Amino acid sequence: RCVRACEDLRGVGALGFVFDEHGLVQVGTVAPGLAESGCRFCTACVEVCPTGAILDHKLPSGDKAKALVPCRSACPAEIDVPEYLRLIATGRPEQALAVIRERVPLPGVLGRVCIHPCEDNCRRGSLNDPVSICLLKRYAADQGGETWKEQLTKLPATGKKVAVVGAGPAGLSAAFYLARKGHAVTVLEAEEHPGGMLRYGIPAYRLPLEALEAEIGDIAALGVEIKTDAKIGSLEELTALGYDALFLSMGAQLSRRLDIDGAEQPSVRCGLDFLKAVRRGEDPQVGPKVVVVGG
């Protein structure tokens, strides 16, 4: 079972039937050690071993799934990281993208700006370096094409209406999954364009506008109505319009000012305000010498 798991499930082939010093056939590594055999330390062999003969002494006690696949459990969206990496490795980015989109509607965005806690927990890191999971997500998003849409399911209309206040990542994600459940979704955004901090807080060199707009377009294509320049006066005004539920996702866009003397001077600019001005195409003026507080 361990040989087949290594070969058939993971496509590695680090285990096989080998001869020992007595000429007897044994299951073992195809080279003197795991690393030399090309082992990826995925622990698939540990998981399928029926006798407990294969052990991983580094596995902590507790949740077995979390210990065996820490990259997936560390991902806030619990994306099946090993599965989409395997598909990319076998030349199938379109199927890898379908796996990623089972859990997140913005893979191209995440592939560029995610802080990738999965890589901090990648078991490969104990051997040499963690797998570049985040960049491979970006590769799948950029190269996966449109075939993922063939696997996208949408339930019949429920007759329910939902208003999502805020078109940032939380609001867009909520709208995506609500629409797939068959609800009529309207996203209300106070800014001129949707995207929230993805658009107004992250510099273009980190997140190109075309990548963001393409994935917002995919969400709108599900039938989600996105209204911009739509400031909300009160929740009562929304309920009066007949919405069955409200999802409030205004984000955390207010800068936190330093509680020190001089913080209120005009020359002191808050980081988020500065970034928003840059993304809007403005030219925020600063002096010849600048101090940045915070890393």
Side-chain angles (χ1 to χ4, degrees), residues 155-166:
L155 298 178
T158 63
K160 300 291 186 180
K161 295 170 55 180
V162 182
V164 175
V165 182

Side-chain angles (χ1 to χ4, degrees), residues 15-281:
L15 299 179
F17 298 101
V18 297
F19 291 98
D20 64 14
E21 64 272 20
H22 305 294
L24 300 176
V25 176
Q26 303 284 352
V27 171
T29 57
V30 296
L34 289 171
E36 296 90 339
S37 302
C39 176
R40 296 180 185 171
F41 298 87
C42 66
T43 69
C45 57
V46 178
E47 192 167 1
V48 302
C49 179
T51 66
I54 303 177
L55 300 174
D56 189 330
H57 296 289
K58 292 183 179 181
L59 286 180
S61 59
D63 190 327
K64 181 180 178 182
K66 184 175 180 179
L68 287 171
V69 195
C71 54
R72 178 172 182 169
S73 58
C75 174
E78 295 187 348
I79 300 172
D80 192 344
V81 174
E83 176 66 3
Y84 86 72
L85 294 184
R86 182 182 67 84
L87 290 167
I88 291 175
T90 54
R92 292 179 284 175
E94 65 285 345
Q95 294 184 34
L97 179 57
V99 170
I100 297 168
R101 280 188 170 273
E102 290 175 0
R103 306 295 304 182
V104 294
L106 301 165
V109 170
L110 283 175
R112 289 169 168 84
V113 302
C114 182
I115 60 171
H116 47 74
C118 51
E119 295 182 21
D120 295 333
N121 291 270
C122 177
R123 292 172 61 82
R124 180 76 189 195
S126 61
L127 176 65
N128 41 39
D129 296 308
V131 178
S132 297
I133 299 171
C134 183
L135 287 176
L136 287 168
K137 187 189 292 95
R138 172 179 172 176
Y139 170 80
D142 291 348
Q143 304 297 323
E146 302 290 322
T147 58
W148 62 271
K149 295 180 180 179
E150 300 172 4
Q151 303 181 36
L152 194 67
T153 57
K154 182 178 179 181
L155 298 178
T158 63
K160 300 291 186 180
K161 295 170 55 180
V162 182
V164 175
V165 182
L172 292 171
S173 298
F176 176 79
Y177 289 110
L178 287 166
R180 288 185 60 185
K181 289 179 178 291
H183 306 312
V185 185
T186 301
V187 180
L188 304 168
E189 170 58 50
E191 295 283 0
E192 184 181 358
H193 301 285
M197 293 300 288
L198 297 177
R199 178 184 292 268
Y200 294 108
I202 301 177
Y205 73 88
R206 285 292 309 280
L207 180 56
L209 196 57
E210 56 269 21
L212 173 63
E213 290 186 334
E215 296 191 332
I216 294 177
D218 290 333
I219 295 171
L222 280 173
V224 174
E225 183 182 11
I226 301 177
K227 295 182 177 180
T228 56
D229 290 320
K231 293 185 178 181
I232 304 304
S234 68
L235 298 183
E236 287 76 11
E237 104 183 34
L238 290 180
T239 54
L241 294 175
Y243 289 106
D244 298 286
L246 308 178
F247 184 85
L248 306 181
S249 53
M250 290 74 68
Q253 301 187 30
L254 297 180
S255 297
R256 187 173 62 185
R257 294 187 174 274
L258 291 171
D259 187 19
I260 59 176
D261 292 339
E264 71 287 347
Q265 294 183 15
S267 60
V268 179
R269 304 186 63 106
C270 290
L272 292 180
D273 299 337
F274 180 84
L275 289 172
K276 285 182 182 179
V278 172
R279 283 307 298 258
R280 288 193 179 104

